[in-house]
Structure formats: C-alpha cells, structure tokens
Amino acid sequence: MLAFELANRFRKARTQQRFISFISMSSTIGIGLGCFVLIVLLSVMNGFERELTGRILSVVPHGELFSVDQRGIDNLDAQLYRFRQDERIKQVTPYTKLTGMLQFKGTLKAISITGLPIEATTNVFENSVSDEDWQALQTMTDGLLIGEGIAEKLGLVKGDVVQALIPQRTSDLTFKAPSTISLTVVGVLSVGGELDNQLGVMHLAKATEALKLASDAQGIQFTFNNPFQANALMREIGYSSPQAVYMSDWTRTQGHLYNDIQLVRVVVYIALTLVIAVACFNIVSSLVMAVREKQAAIAILKTMGATDGLIRKTFVYQGLINGVVGVSTGVALALLVAPNLSDIVRFIEQLLGIEVLSGDIYFIDFLPSELHLQDVVLTAVVALLLSVAATLYPAHKAAKVAPSSALH
C-alpha cells in the first residue's frame, strides 16, 4: 500500500530536528506505559473482586431472613422446602445467631456465634477451616469454631472451655443477667480481615436452646446462584413472608468492599486513559513538526500526482504506527506481568522485608491479580482510537500544503 510505504519511509528517514524524533519516541513510550499500567491495575481489581466472591461470600450468607420476636421461623420445614424449589436459590440453611461476649480466664471479647445444622450441612468453611476441625465440630454438640483473631486475642487453643455470655431480652426493657453457656473450642477459622475478629460457629440446636426459641431456628440463610442479585431477591422473599421478619443481604455488611473495588476501578480507568490521551497529544506535536519539515517532499509528491487523500493517509499511518508500537509493547508486557503479579509482589516483599497488604486489616494478605481478555481488548481499542484521533489535524495540514509555496 503506497500510503503505508510512504509513512514508513517518512518515519525512518533522518530528520534534521532530533527533537521531533524525541517527541515521537516519548509518545510511543507514553502510550505503551499507559496501556501496561492500566491493564495491570484492572487485573488487580479483578483479583480483589474474585477474592471477595470466593472468600468472603463463600462464608458470609448472601441473604438472611430472621424473626422479629422470640418465636423463630414458623413452619420451618415447609419454608425450607418452598425456598429449595426456587432455581435462583443455590442453598438455604436454618440458623440461630448469638451475639454477646466470649469469656476466657477473665478476658472478654465480643463475638457473633452462628448456630448451623452442622451434621446436615456441607462444609461452607472448607477454605477457612481444616477437615479435622470440621469433623471435630460435627462430633461435639458443645463444640465451637472461632475466628483466628479471637483465638489470638484470648490466647485460645483447641480443647479450651470458654463461657459465652448472651444478653437476655425482656418485654419491659429491664436489665436481666445474661445467660451463660459453656462451649469447647474445637478449631480456628481463618476467613481474613475483620471477620476473623468476631466470627464463631456452633451447633444449631445448642444456639436455639440458649435463646429459648419456640421454633427450631431464628432465621434462614440464603446462598444465591448470582450473589449480585441478593438485594432484589431478599426484598422479594422478605415481603412475601407470612410472618414479621427482618431481612438483610451481604451488601449491607460487606458491600462497602465491593463498592470500593468498583470505585477504584473507575478512577483508575479514567486517570490512565487520560495519561494515554496526553501521550497521544505528543503524536500531534511530532506530526505537526514533521509536516513542516517535509513540506518540500509533500510538494514533490503532489507534483508527481499524489492526491490530498494519499497525503492525508500517509501522515495518519505515520502517527498510527507510533500508536500501534506503543499499544503492542504495553499489552505484551502486561500479558507477561499481570498473570504473575502475585508472585512478583511476594518476591519483592521477601526481598525488602515489607508487607504490602496486612491480613489484620484487609481480608487477604497478598496482592491478587486476574487478567480478563475484555480489559486487554478495551484498553488496546481505546488507545488506538486516541492515536488515530491525534493524527487527523496534522494529516489535514499536510494535505493542504501548496506545491507552489513549498517549492518556492
């Protein structure tokens, strides 16, 4: 193609102004760096979203329905059967939650203990607790699994007997001494983040007995096939309940994590797209200066029969080559780094003795990364479109060069 051949020759030809070559090279580097950083950071956001879904939402129920009064859930078996027929619901589990204080050797720690039908429930904590600890919980009716943070705070180990202090409700709002139940620690949960400082799991029957409920469970936990539909589905389920109930979903308790990830993703994309746009402006500068320097060559081409369209395409292709080289380099580097980012960061942490993410603060203690093809394609397309847009004005100026004045 003649226009492409001319563009390639103009680009490789020695220029009298080294500054033009420097501007052209800086635009290519800027575009490549912007694409590389954008793809890597989007992969990190994808990784955080994957860990949120795989870690937190595998332990935290997607939705909860629990009774307002001390009756618990009426007609529990019938309710469970009805919900299990709904194809949108992956799993339903009855539960009773005890919120109080855990006492051990005079030290107190706030805790939220969830009673589950352990003997009839698959291990939803399989990534957070060992099989040995889960089997120990199944065999001991007074067994208790506690979060790693609670165990460290109270100095607990397997076999320790602790006291759970559960506040008592009264109809006249008067104070009443809390009820006390003894539980034996059979294992430690490690979910990550703040959950490790407040989570506990015990048998459903024991928890229901402690609250003196009329029913077999205080509420029902839901796991949906699509956790991001939890808010709408819980409203539908709650409003159709035959008794007065409270309803909640994971977006109320853990939704801030997901919202933060989405906010950072948008900010990163806007900021780095602007970086790529600024780099593309250098294409405008380099091409404008190149047009001025190549006026004589353009005039000669026109006298030989070159059309304005050919000249315009020549300079569009010249600028686009910079964009293609930059985008290709940036994407290639990102494809190498993004899938291995976790290992690279872990190596840097070990080398420098630092910790990028603390497991005591965040729900994970490593930098996750998950490369998505659509992020790569979108970044490359946007960068190439910006590169093409940057060539339009210089190409138009080149096509307007008059041979008579340029060869004068």
Side-chain angles (χ1 to χ4, degrees):
M1 192 176 183
L2 181 58
F4 183 80
E5 183 66 26
L6 289 172
N8 200 32
R9 286 179 178 272
F10 280 170
R11 186 170 178 269
K12 292 182 178 180
R14 289 188 177 182
T15 175
Q16 295 179 356
Q17 300 183 29
R18 292 184 178 179
F19 184 65
I20 299 178
S21 299
F22 173 77
I23 294 295
S24 178
M25 182 180 65
S26 66
S27 66
T28 302
I29 294 174
I31 293 171
L33 185 61
C35 290
F36 167 73
V37 175
L38 179 54
I39 293 173
V40 169
L41 290 184
L42 289 177
S43 298
V44 171
M45 295 301 104
N46 295 334
F48 273 111
E49 189 171 327
R50 178 197 65 204
E51 294 300 323
L52 172 64
T53 305
R55 286 173 174 260
I56 302 298
L57 296 187
S58 65
V59 176
V60 175
H62 299 168
E64 291 181 339
L65 204 68
F66 52 101
S67 64
V68 172
D69 52 37
Q70 287 292 97
R71 298 202 322 264
I73 298 296
D74 297 334
N75 301 318
L76 179 62
D77 291 337
Q79 296 266 44
L80 293 175
Y81 177 80
R82 179 170 67 91
F83 291 133
R84 284 168 181 155
Q85 307 311 307
D86 193 329
E87 295 181 352
R88 300 170 299 180
I89 301 175
K90 183 177 181 180
Q91 183 179 346
V92 289
T93 306
Y95 80 98
T96 296
K97 183 170 291 187
L98 305 180
T99 302
M101 304 295 290
L102 200 65
Q103 182 180 19
F104 182 70
K105 294 182 179 180
T107 305
L108 295 172
K109 179 73 174 69
I111 190 173
S112 177
I113 308 175
T114 302
L116 298 173
I118 305 300
E119 63 285 347
T121 304
T122 56
N123 185 2
V124 295
F125 301 97
E126 60 181 338
N127 296 323
S128 308
V129 65
S130 67
D131 292 338
E132 178 185 353
D133 292 348
W134 184 257
Q135 291 172 3
L137 179 63
Q138 288 180 315
T139 57
M140 294 185 63
T141 56
D142 64 342
L144 172 68
L145 289 174
I146 56 171
E148 189 175 30
I150 300 173
E152 292 179 358
K153 173 72 174 179
L154 298 180
L156 293 170
V157 295
K158 294 180 185 180
D160 286 339
V161 178
V162 296
Q163 305 296 318
L165 308 180
I166 311 302
Q168 297 293 300
R169 296 188 196 178
T170 57
S171 56
D172 57 357
L173 301 180
T174 57
F175 289 103
K176 189 177 180 181
S179 63
T180 303
I181 56 174
S182 296
L183 299 169
T184 303
V185 177
V186 296
V188 176
L189 289 165
S190 180
V191 179
E194 188 59 29
L195 286 176
D196 283 346
N197 295 314
Q198 60 187 22
L199 187 64
V201 178
M202 63 183 294
H203 282 261
L204 174 63
K206 188 80 173 179
T208 300
E209 180 185 352
L211 285 186
K212 300 176 181 178
L213 298 177
S215 176
D216 292 332
Q218 180 188 41
I220 300 175
Q221 293 180 347
F222 297 85
T223 301
F224 300 111
N225 291 319
N226 184 357
F228 300 104
Q229 293 180 344
N231 186 269
L233 291 178
M234 284 312 303
R235 286 177 177 272
E236 179 184 334
I237 292 170
Y239 290 148
S240 63
S241 175
Q243 71 178 102
V245 292
Y246 294 114
M247 52 187 172
S248 180
D249 62 88
W250 71 271
T251 61
R252 294 175 179 270
T253 56
Q254 307 296 326
H256 62 282
L257 295 174
Y258 180 74
N259 292 333
D260 289 347
I261 292 171
Q262 299 307 312
L263 177 61
V264 172
R265 185 198 299 275
V266 172
V267 171
V268 163
Y269 199 88
I270 293 175
L272 289 175
T273 299
L274 291 176
V275 169
I276 296 173
V278 170
C280 290
F281 283 135
N282 287 335
I283 295 178
V284 179
S285 303
S286 62
L287 286 182
V288 167
M289 289 185 285
V291 168
R292 289 186 178 180
E293 186 183 20
K294 304 288 186 185
Q295 281 188 349
I298 294 170
I300 292 172
L301 287 172
K302 282 195 169 185
T303 58
M304 295 174 64
T307 63
D308 289 350
L310 177 63
I311 300 299
R312 191 178 290 111
K313 287 180 182 179
T314 298
F315 283 90
V316 168
Y317 289 150
Q318 184 177 347
L320 186 58
I321 289 173
N322 288 343
V324 170
V325 171
V327 170
S328 301
T329 304
V331 168
L333 288 174
L335 292 176
L336 289 174
V337 172
N340 304 301
L341 185 62
S342 299
D343 294 333
I344 294 172
V345 173
R346 189 176 290 111
F347 172 76
I348 295 174
E349 287 179 336
Q350 295 174 353
L351 184 65
L352 301 180
I354 60 176
E355 191 176 28
V356 176
L357 295 178
S358 173
D360 296 334
I361 301 174
Y362 304 98
F363 63 93
I364 53 177
D365 58 359
F366 64 96
L367 194 66
S369 179
E370 182 175 328
L371 185 64
H372 287 178
L373 179 61
Q374 58 265 33
D375 292 334
V376 177
V377 173
L378 183 61
T379 300
V381 169
V382 169
L384 289 175
L385 288 177
L386 290 173
S387 300
V388 171
T391 64
L392 297 180
Y393 173 73
H396 176 74
K397 294 291 290 183
K400 293 300 181 183
V401 171
S404 57
S405 59
L407 294 175
H408 180 69

